[in-house]
Amino acid sequence: MGCKSSQDTEVVQSISLEDAQSFKNGGKDILYIDVRTPEETANGKIWTTAEEYDVKNENFKTMVDEIDRNQPILLYCRSGKRSTKAAKIMEAMGFV
């Protein structure tokens, strides 16, 4: 699971599901993004309110370009590989 936050010393961090849940329960204004494919998200999501931005979609950069670059964002996928890929793409795009 990847997480980006302007308050962190590291721009991109991996966190556990438990830590992610504590952020959610803490009421922080975090944008949750599921970067899996639509077929995968159709089988269920960790958070039903999460936005869906498939990192494999050729329009991924266009889709995330609309997001506030200073907003804390939590990216997740099944194993962490695609969320890491998405975080690197977004970091290169100026997300902090």
Side-chain angles (χ1 to χ4, degrees), residues 42-59:
N43 291 322
K45 298 192 302 187
I46 296 173
W47 292 288
T48 57
T49 58
E51 299 288 329
E52 296 178 28
Y53 294 89
D54 177 5
V55 72
K56 291 183 178 183
N57 186 312
E58 64 184 36
N59 295 318

Side-chain angles (χ1 to χ4, degrees), residues 15-26:
I15 62 172
S16 68
L17 179 58
E18 292 78 21
D19 287 341
Q21 190 63 43
S22 71
F23 285 129
K24 188 163 182 67
N25 291 339

Side-chain angles (χ1 to χ4, degrees), residues 3-69:
C3 183
K4 299 169 65 72
S5 172
S6 59
Q7 286 85 22
D8 295 331
T9 56
E10 290 183 46
V11 175
V12 177
Q13 293 181 331
S14 290
I15 62 172
S16 68
L17 179 58
E18 292 78 21
D19 287 341
Q21 190 63 43
S22 71
F23 285 129
K24 188 163 182 67
N25 291 339
K28 296 187 181 203
D29 187 25
I30 297 173
L31 175 60
Y32 292 84
I33 300 177
D34 189 329
V35 297
R36 297 175 301 151
T37 66
E39 294 79 22
E40 291 172 303
T41 59
N43 291 322
K45 298 192 302 187
I46 296 173
W47 292 288
T48 57
T49 58
E51 299 288 329
E52 296 178 28
Y53 294 89
D54 177 5
V55 72
K56 291 183 178 183
N57 186 312
E58 64 184 36
N59 295 318
F60 178 76
K61 287 182 182 180
T62 303
M63 293 185 296
V64 298
D65 197 37
E66 301 295 320
I67 299 171
D68 177 0
R69 283 167 168 66

